[in-house]
Amino acid sequence: MPQIAQIAETYSSQIFWLLLTFGFVFFVIGLGMVPKVEAVVEKRDEKIGGDLASAKAAFARADEIEADYRKRDADARAAAQHILAEAKAEGARETEARVKASDAALADRIAAAEAEIRAASVSAMTEIEAVAVEAAQEMVVKVSGARPDPELARQTVKAALVHG
């Protein structure tokens, strides 16, 4: 078998080239390129970790800002409610004061009107009394022909008007 004999002759040469190829691959790729790739991967992992940490810090800061905003919003709402309540109370006091002033003015006008009515009523009663006295005197003159005493006629008419 000539192929086997040829293998034995080239066996040492093949082992040499095999070792040389594996040595080249080991030194160039294993010792040269792999550490560089691992360094790139580590840098990338560190960058990702740093980015994640800064993102967590940003989220935490955003939560703090939101909590601060909510607190300021609640404080502003409470202040607005307080101002609104004070404005309502002030409005109620002003309205009450105006109503009291209007009531006082109306009471004065009513009192003046009642005084006018009383005066008009007294004046009307005086006129009615005078007309009734004259009518009574004329009736007495027509019926009896005698002239009655004016004071007696006045007292009689007053008594009739009072008692009906």
Side-chain angles (χ1 to χ4, degrees):
M1 289 245 183
Q3 293 93 3
I4 294 179
Q6 191 179 21
I7 288 177
E9 293 175 6
T10 60
Y11 180 70
S12 62
S13 169
Q14 288 176 349
I15 290 179
F16 170 76
W17 286 111
L18 181 68
L19 289 176
L20 185 66
T21 305
F22 281 130
F24 177 77
V25 169
F26 175 75
F27 285 109
V28 172
I29 294 177
L31 297 178
M33 294 176 84
V34 170
K36 289 180 184 177
V37 171
E38 286 177 348
V40 169
V41 169
E42 285 179 18
K43 283 183 184 178
R44 187 171 172 207
D45 287 344
E46 288 174 6
K47 180 157 177 37
I48 290 171
D51 290 346
L52 287 175
S54 63
K56 285 180 184 178
F59 277 124
R61 178 68 182 135
D63 288 342
E64 290 173 7
I65 290 171
E66 182 181 6
D68 184 48
Y69 168 76
R70 289 184 189 271
K71 183 183 180 298
R72 283 187 289 139
D73 185 46
D75 292 345
R77 285 180 191 267
Q81 290 292 335
H82 179 69
I83 290 170
L84 182 64
E86 286 179 357
K88 282 183 180 179
E90 180 64 27
R93 284 191 295 271
E94 289 176 2
T95 302
E96 186 177 340
R98 282 188 289 211
V99 167
K100 284 182 181 179
S102 295
D103 284 347
L106 285 175
D108 292 343
R109 288 177 62 190
I110 289 172
E114 287 176 347
E116 286 179 23
I117 291 171
R118 277 193 298 275
S121 177
V122 167
S123 173
M125 284 303 287
T126 304
E127 287 181 27
I128 290 172
E129 186 178 315
V131 169
V133 168
E134 283 180 28
Q137 285 176 345
E138 287 179 18
M139 280 193 265
V140 168
V141 168
K142 282 186 182 182
V143 172
S144 68
R147 231 33 201 136
D149 181 31
E151 188 57 36
L152 180 64
R154 180 172 285 119
Q155 288 175 358
T156 305
V157 167
K158 267 189 181 182
L161 286 175
V162 169
H163 297 312

